[in-house]
Amino acid sequence: MSSTPITRTRFSVLDRSRTRQGRPPGEALRDTVALARQAEALGYHRFWVSEHHGVPGVAGSAPTVLAAAVASATRTIRVGTGGVMLPNHQPLVVAEQFGVLESLFPGRIDMGLGRSVGFTDGVRKALGRDKEAAGDFASQLGELLAWFEGGSPAGVHARPSEGLRVPPFVLAMGEGAAIAARAGLPMVIGDLRARERMLRGIEQYRSLFRPSPWAAEPYVVISGTVSVAGTEEEARRLLVPEAWSMAYSRTHGAFPPLAPAESVEARAMTAKERDLYASHLSGHIAGTGEQVAHELETVLKETGADEVLVTTSSYDRTALLDSFRRLAALFAPR
């Protein structure tokens, strides 16, 4: 079988441990671990988990803890974070956490790092951070990587991290592309709906990239929602719960648990809610296997990406797994 851009590209999963209406948050974390096992069996390259604080719709608040559970439940898939939000933490502590993970699961751990701080003033206050903390991301990143190389001027050493090689990735939001490039690190950039902005970020990253001990050349991971089903309508329905959560968060200031597609479709929405809902439903890669393959080929040719990080969430776990299975059939046909 001849290779195609899709079969030559790595595909990975970022699961945000989305809570579901009427179900306990702990179930979302157990669902994440179960999905990691399934992703490994399907041939996905990495499985990452996220960091959110004080968000009703997300159970994943401690990504390195959850990554340990995922790595324990799997054998071969790479496991990491998408990402640890570095401004929320002391770099030494982050280095120690990843050093422990790498020591327990050698050769399988990724260190995905972001520059966001808490979403609300209350969360930022609880974390002891403010909005300006994200402005120090480049220096925080440098300090974190230095802990893996050696001790600090104060004679402190990060144990057991020192001397270990945990691949770092920068989540490129805003200035993140330039920071990743200057640090010589792989970059994760989204989303697939904002194609022109994504392409500009990738161009900037490649033009500014400086080789480093961590990466000799640019490495681009594009991220976004991909939904595959037997029909275009079924693929679109998979996106309904997340689209409504996004619309609700924009109009009510809180990101809620996922609701079943049928309850969303039966809702009476205000004009603003309807517009936002329609906006968040559009622009994703969704459809039958043939339609998705065509769109992915186009995106991969436009971006030259090395990897695709799939971020799809939905209320219907069976349909979600079926989507991941159908996508895997495109990049790893059996």
Side-chain angles (χ1 to χ4, degrees):
M1 181 181 295
S2 61
S3 69
T4 67
I6 294 176
T7 59
R8 292 192 296 269
T9 302
R10 291 169 167 168
F11 280 76
S12 300
V13 177
L14 167 64
D15 189 70
R16 288 172 293 147
S17 304
R18 291 287 276 113
T19 59
R20 293 188 287 167
Q21 196 175 84
R23 296 176 179 267
E27 183 180 76
L29 299 172
R30 294 187 290 272
D31 285 342
T32 291
V33 175
L35 181 60
R37 290 196 194 99
Q38 292 155 341
E40 179 176 73
L42 290 170
Y44 286 87
H45 183 62
R46 310 178 202 276
F47 191 94
W48 283 4
V49 296
S50 65
E51 175 182 340
H52 295 275
H53 299 282
V55 180
V58 182
S61 55
T64 53
V65 176
L66 185 53
V70 168
S72 294
T74 53
R75 295 186 305 108
T76 57
I77 196 168
R78 296 195 64 86
V79 176
T81 55
V84 164
M85 296 302 145
L86 198 48
N88 291 340
H89 310 281
Q90 291 295 332
L92 170 62
V93 176
V94 175
E96 290 171 336
Q97 290 173 345
F98 279 99
V100 170
L101 284 170
E102 176 64 21
S103 299
L104 291 172
F105 309 101
R108 290 181 57 205
I109 300 301
D110 299 323
M111 187 165 56
L113 305 162
R115 62 193 295 269
S116 297
V117 289
F119 291 141
T120 66
D121 289 339
V123 169
R124 287 190 289 270
K125 184 177 180 181
L127 290 170
R129 298 294 186 268
D130 55 36
K131 288 183 179 180
E132 285 66 45
D136 295 329
F137 179 70
S139 62
Q140 294 161 348
L141 181 62
E143 181 182 342
L144 170 62
L145 298 180
W147 286 115
F148 289 91
E149 301 289 346
S152 73
V156 178
H157 294 266
R159 309 290 189 196
S161 316
E162 193 171 310
L164 298 180
R165 302 293 290 179
V166 184
F169 294 74
V170 172
L171 277 60
M173 304 289 286
E175 299 172 19
I179 292 171
R182 294 188 179 109
L185 300 181
M187 175 186 73
V188 182
I189 188 167
D191 68 38
L192 293 170
R193 299 192 313 147
R195 201 70 54 83
E196 289 302 318
R197 187 172 63 185
M198 185 174 71
L199 290 170
R200 287 196 301 272
I202 292 171
E203 182 181 4
Q204 180 189 37
Y205 168 70
R206 289 195 174 116
S207 67
L208 295 175
F209 186 85
R210 302 172 183 168
S212 75
W214 299 96
E217 57 190 26
Y219 189 91
V220 174
V221 183
I222 56 173
S223 69
T225 295
V226 181
S227 173
V228 196
T231 67
E232 191 173 355
E233 178 59 27
E234 288 172 330
R236 180 187 172 281
R237 262 191 123 233
L238 193 68
L239 308 179
V240 164
E242 185 74 26
W244 170 245
S245 283
M246 294 296 294
Y248 186 94
S249 70
R250 294 283 300 276
T251 52
H252 294 77
F255 194 63
L258 296 173
E262 55 270 21
S263 72
V264 173
E265 292 168 337
R267 287 187 70 97
M269 300 183 191
T270 66
K272 184 177 182 181
E273 287 173 342
R274 178 69 60 185
D275 287 346
L276 287 167
Y277 170 64
S279 170
H280 287 293
L281 265 183
S282 66
H284 303 289
I285 296 180
T288 64
E290 185 177 352
Q291 290 170 322
V292 167
H294 175 74
E295 184 65 18
L296 281 173
E297 296 258 344
T298 300
V299 172
L300 291 172
K301 288 174 183 175
E302 287 177 351
T303 62
D306 302 283
E307 189 169 338
V308 178
L309 183 66
V310 182
T311 63
T312 314
S313 298
S314 192
Y315 183 92
D316 186 337
R317 301 295 298 186
T318 301
L320 180 64
L321 177 57
D322 182 62
S323 176
F324 280 117
R325 187 179 292 115
R326 289 174 184 269
L327 177 57
L330 300 180
F331 69 78
R334 301 184 180 191

